[in-house]
């Protein structure tokens, strides 16, 4: 009972603590969002610092005289609470509790510091409006603090003021006129926030910003409020720029530029934004509005073109801005931010805050590191597979099946020339048309903006000329030798699409010399992003990759094994008409393969020496034309495919098909089980009916047998028992004695005191008559009277005497 009372009191105290206001409680909305994850990571440093200070203070106490130490009252700890976007998220690291959005307003009023981000999710504007209204009503009822308390405000949860940090969008500046019409490139600074003009779609954001500024001015002694004008965030898993990062990694043929791409987009790394919020919490400034943007001026084409050239295909197309909505991945928010044209200078975070930038390089220079982060956050992995085996064993079928399931690039000596020809053909045709073919005619100002890319165009001229020469060589129609095919294969392996998405090399290499040439390091850099591997290798692996290009080495080598009889039988099963499947051709190719696959000269030894041990898969079934069983073994080694734009629809379709097949199978099983149960029920009913009939028949036969067997007994009872017993029972019914059984026994005994009643010849009337005769005889004996028997006439007597009739028996 005592424990339950203590538990109940602790629960009441915890609920009371949660409902009380605390200067050490921080509220962050959308903790699991793109911005929220990084902001939470930075704000959590407050908890870590508090924990370190607590440990230091406890360490000082050790060794001192405990008797003279004052009793320290435990203070309320620092804690972080907030809302989440995904309702399935129940816990997060360093978060005390997650508050439902329906209950967040009351919880926000109990927090000393509120970080409210309305930039990422437009729906948060409704919560922000309601919170500001409640906050104003609360501040009006509170007593203002003294001026000295305000002057001693040092932030970081140590002061006695509330703090509000509103992360807003720069779309509230979207239609602001230039400060100097003659110099439109002049940047805006924080002090120009009064001149800002909002985009028509962002009036609610403008009103909320003004509301926060009004609260900061009117209730200066009670709350510190500031608006952070946030630029387009990037980094990590990306947000607004996700479409272009993904399409660049997928090597989309043409990356779209909205318009001519000359508009200036204010950018900010999401890690820098989180660091700005942390600095504001630790040292809250006397500012109303600050700009969270980078110092570098970045145009739209300076964002998209480096992505395409460093990561993607390097081809672009300018589309009319309104045509952007024809792209499903681009919504209104992305369109508004990507067509924004603002030149801004962050004076406060550079001069006063002294922000330590995540990277001081420009966006174009940061693309290799950014794409590395993007691949890590999105789980993008490039599988590289070599399929090796004898002729017509199923290498091509398996390779294309892997490519389709994992979204890889199919590479084969038979198709490499055609693939390169198609790639170069559409590139040359696009260069002839130009990037701006879809746009209307340019004006003088637009010509000047396009001319800014003249250096890039100069670099591309050499690439275009080399591509045209290569295309002319491929289109000549002549046969290519093995060295040229090997060069084209290496070129195909090193193309950006193959490096990003991965590839499957079908039936190549076939000998050790081809392995050495194909994977030779040469002058090619051995890193996709231009950065070497930071991990130090083991001493035994220092010289392992000295002469090979590590970035094009396969992850998996699949070796298909089959017997000669199997190959020959499979060749005979193929349709006629293909010269490569003739008996002589198959035997020749098979002999060449066996000669090159000897134990000492097999190309598998090359991969074994590089610790890439082949996956041996035997092929034995002729009925497995689609190589499903072999693919299952390879997929088990490769794992799940990574989910990205082009493949995700296919993966979801495969998952839906698998789920549908499973549901169909379960439905069939349920139907079969139902039919089986129905059949068993019918059989059981038929058997029960048969058994019932059989049981009734057996009962009838048993009853008949019992009747036949009981007939003598019944006759005996009817003849000898029932006459006497019936009379006695009737007498009992008439008299109705208290003890009928005893009366019945005495009555029966009186009827037959000598026990002769059980004799078969016993007759009650005859017995009575004999009794009377016996009495009469005794009386006659006493009187000594001689009675002559009555004699019939003489004739009768004589006849009777002749027959010897006994006189007593006649009586």
């Amino acid at each position: 009972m005592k424990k339950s009372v203590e538990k109940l009191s602790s629960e009441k105290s915890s609920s009371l603590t949660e409902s009380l206001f605390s200067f050490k409680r921080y509220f962050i909305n959308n903790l699991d969002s793109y911005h929220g994850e990084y902001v939470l990571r930075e704000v959590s440093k407050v908890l870590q610092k508090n924990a370190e200070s607590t440990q230091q203070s406890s360490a000082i106490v050790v060794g001192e005289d405990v008797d003279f130490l004052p009793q320290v009252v435990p203070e309320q700890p620092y804690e972080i609470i907030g809302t989440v976007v995904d309702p399935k998220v129940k816990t997060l690291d360093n978060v005390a509790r997650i508050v439902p959005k329906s209950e967040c307003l009351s919880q926000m009023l109990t927090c000393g510091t509120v970080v409210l981000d309305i930039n990422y999710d437009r729906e948060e504007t409704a919560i922000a409006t309601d919170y500001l209204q409640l906050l104003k009503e609360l501040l009006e009822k509170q007593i203002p603090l003294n001026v000295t308390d305000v002057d001693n405000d040092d932030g970081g949860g140590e002061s006695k003021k509330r703090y509000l940090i509103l992360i807003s969008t720069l779309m509230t500046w979207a239609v602001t006129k230039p400060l100097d019409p003659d110099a439109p490139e002049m940047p805006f600074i924080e002090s120009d926030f009064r001149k800002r003009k909002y985009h028509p779609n962002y009036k609610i954001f403008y009103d909320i910003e003004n509301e926060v500024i009004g609260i900061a001015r009117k209730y200066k002694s009670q709350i510190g409020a500031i608006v952070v004008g946030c630029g387009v965030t990037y980094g990590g898993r990306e947000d607004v720029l996700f479409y272009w990062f993904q399409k660049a990694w997928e090597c989309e043929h043409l990356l779209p530029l909205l318009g001519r791409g000359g508009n200036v987009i204010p950018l900010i790394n999401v890690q820098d934004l989180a660091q700005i919020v942390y600095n504001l919490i630790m040292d809250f400034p006397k500012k109303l509005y600050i700009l969270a943007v980078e110092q570098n001026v970045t145009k739209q084409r300076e964002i998209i073109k480096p992505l395409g050239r460093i990561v993607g295909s390097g081809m672009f197309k300018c589309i009319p801005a309104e045509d952007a909505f024809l792209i499903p991945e681009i919504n209104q928010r992305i369109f508004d931010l990507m067509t924004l044209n603002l030149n801004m200078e962050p004076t406060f975070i550079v001069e006063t805050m002294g922000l330590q930038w995540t990277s001081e390089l420009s966006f174009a220079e940061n693309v290799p590191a950014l794409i590395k982060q993007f691949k890590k956050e999105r789980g993008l992995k490039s599988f590289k597979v070599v399929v090796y085996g004898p002729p017509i064993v199923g290498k091509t079928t398996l390779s294309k099946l892997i490519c389709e399931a994992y979204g890889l690039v199919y590479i084969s000596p038979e198709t490499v020339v055609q693939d390169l020809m198609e790639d170069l053909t559409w590139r040359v045709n696009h260069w002839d048309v130009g990037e701006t073919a879809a746009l209307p005619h340019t004006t003088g100002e637009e010509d000047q903006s396009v001319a800014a890319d003249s250096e890039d165009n100069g670099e591309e001229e050499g690439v275009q000329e080399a591509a045209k020469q290569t295309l002319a060589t491929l289109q000549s129609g002549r046969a290519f030798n093995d060295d040229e095919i090997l060069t084209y294969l290496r070129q195909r392996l090193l193309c950006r699409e193959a490096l990003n998405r991965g590839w499957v090399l079908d039936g190549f290499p076939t000998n050790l010399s081809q392995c050495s040439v194909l994977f030779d390091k040469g002058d090619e850099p051995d890193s996709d992003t231009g950065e070497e591997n930071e991990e130090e290798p083991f001493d035994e692996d220092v010289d392992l990759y000295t002469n090979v290009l590590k970035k094009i080495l396969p992850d998996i080598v699949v070796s298909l094994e089959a017997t000669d009889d199997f190959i020959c039988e499979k060749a005979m099963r193929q349709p006629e008409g293909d010269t490569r499947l003739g008996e002589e051709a198959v035997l020749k190719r098979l002999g060449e393969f066996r000669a090159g696959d000897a134990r000492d000269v097999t190309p598998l030894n090359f991969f074994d020496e590089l610790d890439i041990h082949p996956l041996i898969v035997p092929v034995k079934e002729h009925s497995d034309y689609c190589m499903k069983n072999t693919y299952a073994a390879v997929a088990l080694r490769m794992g799940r495919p990574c989910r990205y734009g082009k493949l995700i629809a296919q993966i979801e379709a495969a998952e839906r098909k698998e789920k549908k097949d499973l549901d169909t199978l379960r439905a069939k099983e349920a139907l079969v089980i139902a039919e089986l149960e129905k059949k068993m029920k019918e059989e059981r009913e038929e058997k029960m009916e048969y058994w019932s009939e059989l049981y009734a028949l057996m009962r009838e036969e048993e009853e008949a047998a019992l009747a036949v067997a009981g007939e003598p007994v019944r006759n005996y009872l009817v003849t000898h028992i029932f006459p006497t017993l019936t009379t006695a029972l009737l007498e009992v019914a008439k008299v109705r004695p208290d003890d009928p059984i005893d009366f019945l026994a005495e009555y029966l005994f009186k009827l037959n005191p000598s026990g002769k009643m059980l004799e078969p010849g016993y007759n009650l009337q005859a017995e009575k008559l004999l009794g009377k005769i016996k009495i009469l005889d005794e009386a006659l004996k006493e009187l000594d009277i001689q009675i002559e028997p009555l004699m019939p006439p003489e004739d009768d007597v004589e006849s009777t005497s002749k027959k010897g009739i006994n006189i007593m028996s006649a009586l």
Side-chain angles (χ1 to χ4, degrees):
M1 183 66 183
K2 185 178 179 181
K3 291 183 179 179
S4 62
V5 172
E6 291 177 356
K7 182 178 180 181
L8 182 60
S9 61
S10 63
E11 291 178 354
K12 288 184 178 180
S13 61
S14 62
S15 62
L16 183 61
T17 304
E18 292 176 1
S19 61
L20 293 177
F21 174 79
S22 173
F23 293 103
K24 297 181 179 181
R25 184 179 297 130
Y26 298 87
F27 179 90
I28 304 172
N29 68 323
N30 293 342
L31 290 166
D32 58 338
S33 65
Y34 175 61
H35 293 170
E37 290 180 359
Y38 291 91
V39 173
L40 174 62
R41 195 178 303 169
E42 289 294 324
V43 177
S44 298
K45 294 179 181 179
V46 176
L47 307 182
Q48 298 173 3
K49 286 186 176 182
N50 179 58
E52 292 175 359
S53 62
T54 304
Q55 291 177 359
Q56 291 177 0
S57 61
S58 62
I60 294 174
V61 173
V62 175
E64 296 184 0
D65 193 355
V66 181
D67 296 336
F68 296 97
L69 288 176
Q71 293 184 356
V72 180
V73 180
E75 298 181 356
Q76 189 172 0
Y78 287 87
E79 62 178 2
I80 300 174
I81 66 173
T83 60
V84 292
V85 178
D86 187 3
K88 296 181 181 179
V89 177
K90 301 301 181 183
T91 57
L92 289 171
D93 293 339
N94 299 320
V95 177
R97 66 183 183 276
I98 294 176
V99 182
K101 290 193 175 183
S102 58
E103 305 173 4
C104 66
L105 292 177
S106 60
Q107 295 294 326
M108 291 167 70
L109 294 175
T110 65
C111 300
T113 303
V114 175
V115 180
L116 195 56
D117 181 9
I118 61 175
N119 182 11
Y120 180 79
D121 189 358
R122 192 182 185 92
E123 295 180 358
E124 295 296 309
T125 56
I127 297 177
T129 303
D130 296 339
Y131 169 69
L132 294 176
Q133 183 64 29
L134 292 174
L135 183 62
K136 286 175 63 178
E137 295 176 359
L138 180 64
L139 294 175
E140 288 176 358
K141 297 177 182 179
Q142 289 181 349
I143 301 175
L145 300 175
N146 296 329
V147 179
T148 55
D149 295 334
V150 177
D151 294 338
N152 294 332
D153 179 16
D154 58 355
E158 299 296 334
S159 69
K160 301 304 179 183
K161 285 175 59 176
R162 293 176 180 268
Y163 293 101
L164 172 60
I165 301 173
L166 179 71
I167 302 176
S168 185
T169 175
L170 291 182
M171 290 305 298
T172 56
W173 296 66
V175 294
T176 307
K177 294 182 179 180
L179 300 175
D180 186 356
D182 298 331
E185 68 279 359
M186 180 181 293
F188 294 100
I189 58 177
E190 280 91 350
S191 59
D192 298 327
F193 75 91
R194 300 175 186 85
K195 301 177 183 179
R196 68 193 192 283
K197 302 295 180 184
Y198 58 85
H199 188 280
N201 295 337
Y202 291 83
K203 184 180 185 303
I204 183 66
F205 292 83
Y206 181 80
D207 295 338
I208 293 174
E209 289 180 5
N210 289 337
E211 193 74 21
V212 172
I213 294 171
I215 290 175
R217 283 175 170 166
K218 185 176 181 181
Y219 307 100
K220 180 179 179 181
S221 61
Q222 298 168 268
I223 186 171
I226 192 170
V227 178
V228 180
C230 177
V232 176
T233 51
Y234 68 93
R237 57 190 174 98
E238 300 302 331
D239 176 30
V240 176
L241 300 178
F242 169 73
Y243 169 76
W244 283 272
F245 269 82
Q246 177 175 267
K247 293 304 178 183
W249 185 83
E250 292 176 2
C251 283
E252 187 77 12
H253 281 181
L254 299 171
L255 280 182
L257 283 82
L258 308 185
R260 299 187 181 278
N263 56 305
V264 178
I265 301 177
L267 297 177
I268 182 71
N269 194 301
V270 67
Q271 298 180 15
D272 293 333
L273 174 63
Q275 191 176 351
I276 291 171
V277 174
Y278 173 74
N279 292 340
L280 291 177
I281 291 176
M282 298 305 297
D283 186 11
F284 203 87
K286 295 180 180 179
K287 295 280 291 182
L288 297 175
Y289 200 107
I290 65 171
L291 293 175
V293 295
E294 292 181 347
Q295 291 177 285
N296 301 318
V297 178
T298 308
K299 298 181 180 180
Q300 183 194 160
R301 60 171 171 263
E302 294 172 352
I303 298 173
I304 298 176
K305 287 201 170 185
L307 274 174
R309 288 171 182 153
I310 298 175
V311 182
S313 63
M315 308 294 288
F316 311 94
K317 181 181 181 181
C318 297
I319 63 174
E322 57 274 11
D323 289 353
F325 294 105
L326 300 177
I327 302 174
E329 293 86 352
I330 297 181
N331 55 25
Q332 184 67 51
R333 174 172 174 263
I334 297 176
F335 173 81
D336 293 338
L337 291 173
M338 291 302 293
T339 55
L340 184 65
N341 188 15
L342 285 174
N343 189 2
M344 315 195 90
E345 185 175 343
T347 56
F348 175 78
I349 63 176
V350 174
E351 299 173 1
T352 306
M353 184 180 291
L355 179 67
Q356 297 295 325
W357 299 99
T358 302
S359 176
E360 296 183 356
L361 301 176
S362 64
F363 182 89
E365 295 169 330
N366 270 330
V367 166
L370 292 174
I371 197 65
K372 186 177 181 180
Q373 294 177 5
F374 176 74
K375 290 166 63 177
K376 182 179 179 181
E377 292 287 340
R378 293 288 176 175
L380 301 178
K381 181 182 179 181
S382 57
F383 294 95
K384 299 182 285 291
V385 184
V386 169
V387 180
Y388 175 80
I392 70 170
V393 73
K395 301 188 297 295
T396 302
T397 303
L398 177 62
S399 300
K400 292 184 177 180
L401 193 60
I402 296 174
C403 290
E404 182 181 359
Y406 286 82
L408 309 182
V409 179
Y410 176 76
I411 302 175
S412 171
E414 289 79 10
T415 61
V416 64
V417 174
Q418 183 64 28
D419 294 339
L420 286 175
M421 191 182 305
E422 292 177 358
D423 180 70
L424 293 176
T425 300
W426 76 261
R427 285 178 180 271
V428 171
N429 293 337
H430 179 68
W431 287 328
D432 293 340
V433 174
E435 294 179 0
T436 60
L439 296 179
H441 296 290
T442 60
T443 61
E445 296 179 357
E446 291 172 343
D447 288 337
Q448 293 178 1
S449 64
V450 174
D453 288 339
S454 58
E455 296 181 0
D456 295 337
N457 294 334
E459 293 178 359
E460 289 182 357
E461 288 180 359
V463 177
Q464 294 179 13
E465 188 64 28
K468 291 179 180 179
Q469 292 179 0
T470 305
L471 180 61
T473 303
L474 295 175
Q475 291 177 341
S476 62
R478 66 178 180 84
F480 298 98
N481 56 35
D482 293 343
D483 293 338
E484 291 175 323
I485 294 294
L486 195 58
T487 302
Y488 292 143
L489 283 172
R490 181 180 171 86
Q491 183 179 348
R492 185 68 173 153
L493 293 176
L494 288 171
C495 75
R496 185 59 57 185
E497 183 180 16
L499 290 176
N500 288 349
R501 292 166 49 193
W503 43 263
V504 176
L505 185 55
D506 178 15
F508 198 88
T510 57
N511 53 57
L512 290 174
S513 60
Q514 291 176 350
C515 292
S516 302
V517 176
L518 186 63
F519 300 107
D520 182 46
K521 188 169 186 178
D523 299 331
E524 186 73 22
D526 203 6
S527 177
D528 294 347
T529 60
E531 301 176 358
E532 297 295 333
N533 191 3
E534 298 179 358
E535 297 181 359
E536 294 184 2
F538 291 100
D539 295 340
E540 292 85 354
D541 297 338
V542 172
D543 300 329
L544 185 61
Y545 303 107
T546 304
N547 299 321
V548 295
L549 191 59
K550 188 177 179 181
K551 67 180 180 181
I552 62 172
L553 285 177
D555 302 315
I556 300 175
V557 177
V558 181
S559 177
L560 303 180
E561 289 188 349
T563 62
D564 294 351
D565 295 338
F566 179 86
I567 298 298
C568 295
E569 186 176 352
K570 187 173 182 179
M572 289 187 292
R573 291 171 177 265
Q574 303 300 319
E576 299 180 358
D578 190 350
T579 56
R580 298 174 67 251
L581 298 178
E583 182 179 355
E584 296 181 359
V586 170
L587 292 176
K588 180 181 179 182
R589 293 168 57 195
L590 186 58
E592 293 175 354
F593 172 80
R594 295 301 184 195
D597 192 43
R599 186 170 185 178
D600 298 335
V601 297
T602 177
L604 299 179
N605 294 338
F606 175 83
F607 301 110
D608 261 331
E609 293 174 0
L610 296 173
D611 285 340
I612 307 173
H613 304 296
L615 174 63
I616 309 298
V617 182
V619 182
K620 302 177 180 179
E621 299 180 6
H622 288 289
S623 59
D624 189 13
Y625 294 106
C626 299
M627 302 292 289
K628 292 291 185 181
N629 296 334
T630 308
Y631 167 75
V634 177
L636 186 63
R637 170 72 70 88
M638 295 178 64
R640 292 181 177 272
C642 58
R643 305 174 73 93
Y644 63 91
K646 284 185 176 179
L647 192 61
I648 192 167
Q650 186 175 347
I651 294 176
E652 291 177 352
E655 290 176 352
R656 287 194 300 269
K657 184 177 181 299
E658 183 179 358
K659 183 179 179 181
K660 184 179 179 181
D661 294 342
L662 183 60
D663 293 341
T664 304
L665 181 60
R666 289 178 177 174
K668 289 181 178 179
E669 291 179 354
L671 183 61
V672 171
I673 293 174
E675 292 179 352
L676 181 61
E677 290 179 351
K678 182 179 179 182
K679 184 178 179 181
M680 292 176 64
K681 184 178 179 181
E682 292 176 353
E683 290 180 355
R684 185 165 57 251
E685 291 176 354
E686 291 178 358
K687 288 182 179 179
M688 289 296 295
E689 184 178 358
Y690 170 73
W691 290 339
S692 299
E693 294 177 356
L694 183 61
Y695 180 72
L697 182 61
M698 290 176 64
R699 286 291 301 272
E700 291 177 358
E701 293 179 355
E702 184 179 358
E703 290 177 358
L706 289 174
V708 172
E711 186 67 24
V713 178
R714 277 200 306 274
N715 294 335
Y716 176 80
L717 293 175
V718 170
T719 305
H720 302 288
I721 303 300
F722 288 162
T724 305
L725 186 61
T726 302
T727 305
L729 292 175
L730 291 174
E731 190 67 25
V732 171
K734 289 178 182 180
V735 178
R736 295 184 181 178
D738 295 334
D739 191 353
I741 301 300
D742 186 55
F743 178 83
L744 179 64
E746 291 182 359
Y747 182 82
L748 292 175
F749 182 76
K750 288 178 180 180
L751 292 177
N752 187 16
S754 62
K756 293 181 179 181
M757 190 177 72
L758 299 177
E759 294 180 2
Y762 176 77
N763 188 286
L764 182 59
Q765 295 178 354
E767 190 66 23
K768 288 180 179 181
L769 182 60
L770 288 176
K772 292 178 180 181
I773 293 173
K774 184 178 181 181
I775 294 171
L776 181 59
D777 288 340
E778 290 178 357
L780 290 174
K781 286 179 180 182
E782 291 177 359
L783 295 174
D784 194 18
I785 298 175
Q786 297 293 329
I787 299 174
E788 293 293 334
L790 297 175
M791 298 298 291
E794 294 180 357
D795 296 336
D796 295 337
V797 172
E798 290 179 0
S799 62
T800 305
S801 60
K802 289 180 181 179
K803 295 180 180 179
I805 298 174
N806 192 355
I807 298 171
M808 288 302 297
S809 62
L811 289 174

